[in-house]
């Protein structure tokens, strides 16, 4: 019984991830975040069930972006305070959507916390230390790394080395230090597992 339903959950999450990718105009983003989150979880020794759940969360991480007006998400210049406020609602919007799906409560809480930071300067709750579990720390780092490797309206993609350097610069403050430490090996694992997802990323 368990296996087909797990496959169906992953299939549905992949389909939703594709919808979100088209909304944020970044093809393959959900698959890259999911693959890297899974690889980080495996690299850090999490059990298989947690690794699978990280993959599903990675695919659905930005589902709340569907509630952010397009002109804000696509804006190439600095956001106003009001626009930033609307942008910062997306983790909560995503969590509210996922909470309605049976069995998704834990993944919803991870999605809600993926912009929190170990130094307490994240959002929406400014969580610190033990109040921020490992899965959202992994998802936050995977999300940020994949964002660095992609072209944005206001800048070109960073190379692998540049992106790794920026992640290391945020280690212990913006990102969990142990997650950043696992990132190079996890990136190698993720790109080996699904090379097609990473083709042409951050040339």
């Amino acid at each position: 019984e368990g296996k087909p339903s797990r496959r169906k959950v992953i299939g549905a999450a992949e389909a939703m991830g594709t919808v979100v990718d088209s909304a944020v105009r970044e093809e393959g983003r959900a698959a890259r975040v999911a693959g890297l989150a899974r690889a980080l979880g495996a690299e850090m020794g999490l059990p298989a069930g947690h690794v699978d759940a990280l993959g599903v969360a990675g695919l659905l991480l930005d589902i709340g972006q569907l509630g952010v007006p397009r002109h804000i998400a696509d804006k190439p210049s600095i956001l106003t305070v009001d626009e930033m406020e609307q942008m910062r609602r997306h983790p909560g919007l995503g969590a509210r959507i996922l909470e309605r799906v049976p069995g998704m409560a834990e993944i919803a809480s991870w999605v809600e916390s993926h912009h929190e930071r170990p130094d307490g300067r994240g959002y929406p709750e400014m969580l610190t230390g033990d109040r921020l579990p490992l899965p959202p720390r992994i998802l936050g780092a995977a999300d940020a790394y994949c964002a660095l490797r992609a072209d944005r309206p206001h800048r070109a993609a960073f190379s692998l080395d540049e992106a790794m350097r920026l992640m290391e610069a945020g280690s212990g403050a913006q990102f969990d230090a142990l997650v950043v430490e696992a990132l190079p090996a996890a990136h190698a694992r993720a790109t080996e597992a699904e090379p097609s997802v990473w083709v042409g990323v951050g040339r």
Side-chain angles (χ1 to χ4, degrees):
E1 284 298 301
K3 290 219 163 145
S5 68
R6 176 181 160 273
R7 268 207 306 278
K8 280 180 186 166
V9 167
I10 292 170
E14 284 172 345
M16 280 309 301
T18 307
V19 170
V20 177
D21 286 348
S22 66
V24 300
R25 294 179 174 78
E26 196 181 311
E27 195 183 339
R29 175 170 170 74
R32 284 190 289 277
V33 173
L36 187 55
R38 285 179 59 88
L40 278 163
E43 200 61 41
M44 297 184 79
L46 292 182
H50 269 71
V51 170
D52 283 345
L54 278 167
V56 171
L59 288 165
L60 299 171
L61 206 56
D62 279 332
I63 197 168
Q65 291 264 21
L66 297 174
V68 176
R70 205 64 271 133
H71 70 274
I72 295 175
D74 286 348
K75 192 175 176 183
S77 52
I78 291 169
L79 298 179
T80 65
V81 173
D82 181 56
E83 289 167 343
M84 181 60 82
E85 207 46 54
Q86 290 195 59
M87 192 60 140
R88 287 186 164 195
R89 285 190 199 132
H90 83 266
L93 288 171
R96 299 297 83 77
I97 293 165
L98 296 175
E99 278 168 357
R100 297 175 187 183
V101 182
M104 291 290 254
E106 190 169 36
I107 285 172
S109 76
W110 298 351
V111 166
E112 184 153 33
S113 300
H114 79 274
H115 280 293
E116 300 287 358
R117 298 169 43 141
D119 66 5
R121 294 177 61 194
Y123 62 90
E125 299 290 332
M126 299 177 95
L127 301 177
T128 53
D130 296 342
R131 294 180 62 214
L132 182 57
L134 183 57
R137 294 177 192 229
I138 286 174
L139 290 161
D143 184 45
Y145 175 79
C146 291
L148 291 171
R149 298 297 306 284
D151 288 321
R152 283 286 187 262
H154 57 285
R155 60 149 178 85
F158 290 99
S159 70
L160 188 149
D161 286 347
E162 290 167 333
M164 287 291 180
R165 268 203 301 277
L166 287 165
M167 294 297 294
E168 280 161 16
S171 176
Q174 187 175 357
F175 309 113
D176 183 285
L178 292 175
V179 176
V180 173
E181 207 176 292
L183 191 55
H187 176 263
R189 188 191 278 242
T191 50
E192 199 177 310
E194 294 178 290
S196 62
V197 169
W198 295 86
V199 168
V201 175
R203 289 168 291 282

